Structures are given as C-alpha cells and as structure tokens.
Amino acid sequence: MVKYLILFLFLIGLTSCTRSQHNKENFKLIGDCEGCEAVFEYEDKKLSAVDTLPGFFEEGEKLKVSGTIYKNDGITPLEDVIIYIYHTNQHGIYAPKADSKGWEKRHGYMRGWVKTGIEGKYTFFTIKPAGYPNSTAPAHIHPVILEPDGKYYWISEYLFADDPHLGRNGMSEKPRGGTNSVLKPKKEEGITIVERNIILGRNVPGYE
C-alpha cells in the first residue's frame, strides 16, 4: 500500500507549474518572525491541498500531517490559506542542498507548502523529524500561515505526544493557532498519522 501511495504522490509532484497566489501589496507580518518570509518561496510551484516533502522518499518513519483550517470564529473552514512547514531530518539537522537558495539554507530542504481547498483541509506527507543532536528539545515541525488577505505569522510547533523529551519542556496553555499542538500519533498501513486543526489568528498577539 505504501509503495503505491509513494508512486501516486510522486506523479502529483510532476504536475506542478508556475502560478502567482497573492497580491504582494497586501502582505502584512503579524508580530515578530525571523524566517516567516519563507512562506512566499514556493514561487514556481502550483499549490494544492496536498504536498509531499522531499524527505518522504528517504529512509525514516513515514508521516502524514493533516487537518482543517478555520476562520477566527473556530467554526468556518477557510479556502486559499497557505501553510508552510519545515523540519529536521532523521538526524535532527536542518539539512540544506548544495544549491539551496533563500531560507532553504537555514530551514533545510525538508519543507513544503499547501493551499487549503474549499473545505479548509490540508495534508503533508513527510518523515517524522528527529530532535536536535545532544539536546533535550523534543522533535517538532515549524509552521507558518499566510492568509488570503495577506496576513502571515508563525503558529505553535507540531509536537508528538510520544516524544520522550516532551515532558521536560513547558507547553503553552494558549498555543498560537488555537488548538493543542501536542499530537497523538497513530499507525495506519505503515504510515504514522497526526491531525491538527488550526484557528486563524487565535492566541496570536497583534492579530485583528
């Protein structure tokens, strides 16, 4: 099953093409965020509600990350929201390629973008990241949100409830993004699955 899924996702990747997604005059960063501008670096890629990060085809625990993005009311799904994620490889390193440009030099090549459909849903296929070497920091995935009206900002990292280092780090009672970012993994047909819904602007200082 996993073999056919990998082939399907690879074929999807071959269909990408150039397309502008937003009016750049409307971009507005909410709060402070080093590297949030990486959300715009999809450039030559047509975005859809599903993306497969390059690391999915390498060795490591296959991971599916999905959920629904809601308006600030927490009820209404929102279309055309872009979410950018990046994370370490299976050795805990943000590994760039030799020809990396822009924020890929810092974030590594294990990164991707999706754009929600009419039901507000999104899905990433990747591998489960590792924690930093010689560190007690838990493994995590960094997300950045770009709303259709141009507001962009970071939200709380995706964390994993089974991480042995999680208990040593205080988790926010009011995570940016409005929902619990500590996710409970489950296995289905050889893939680890986590789900996280997001409420736009919730618990993000300066958001209106």
Side-chain angles (χ1 to χ4, degrees), residues 155-170:
I155 60 173
S156 298
E157 301 158 345
Y158 292 76
L159 299 162
F160 303 94
D162 59 353
D163 192 301
H165 296 306
L166 191 61
R168 303 182 188 181
N169 296 267

Side-chain angles (χ1 to χ4, degrees), residues 65-68 70 122 141 143 155-162 166 169-185 194-199 202-203:
V65 181
S66 62
T68 302
Y70 296 96
Y122 72 93
I141 297 174
I155 60 173
S156 298
E157 301 158 345
Y158 292 76
L159 299 162
F160 303 94
D162 59 353
L166 191 61
N169 296 267
M171 299 297 105
S172 173
E173 295 181 358
K174 294 184 177 181
R176 295 170 64 112
T179 58
N180 186 4
S181 62
V182 180
L183 310 177
K184 295 181 179 180
V194 293
E195 296 182 6
R196 179 188 180 185
N197 297 333
I198 295 166
I199 301 174
R202 187 68 60 88
N203 301 327

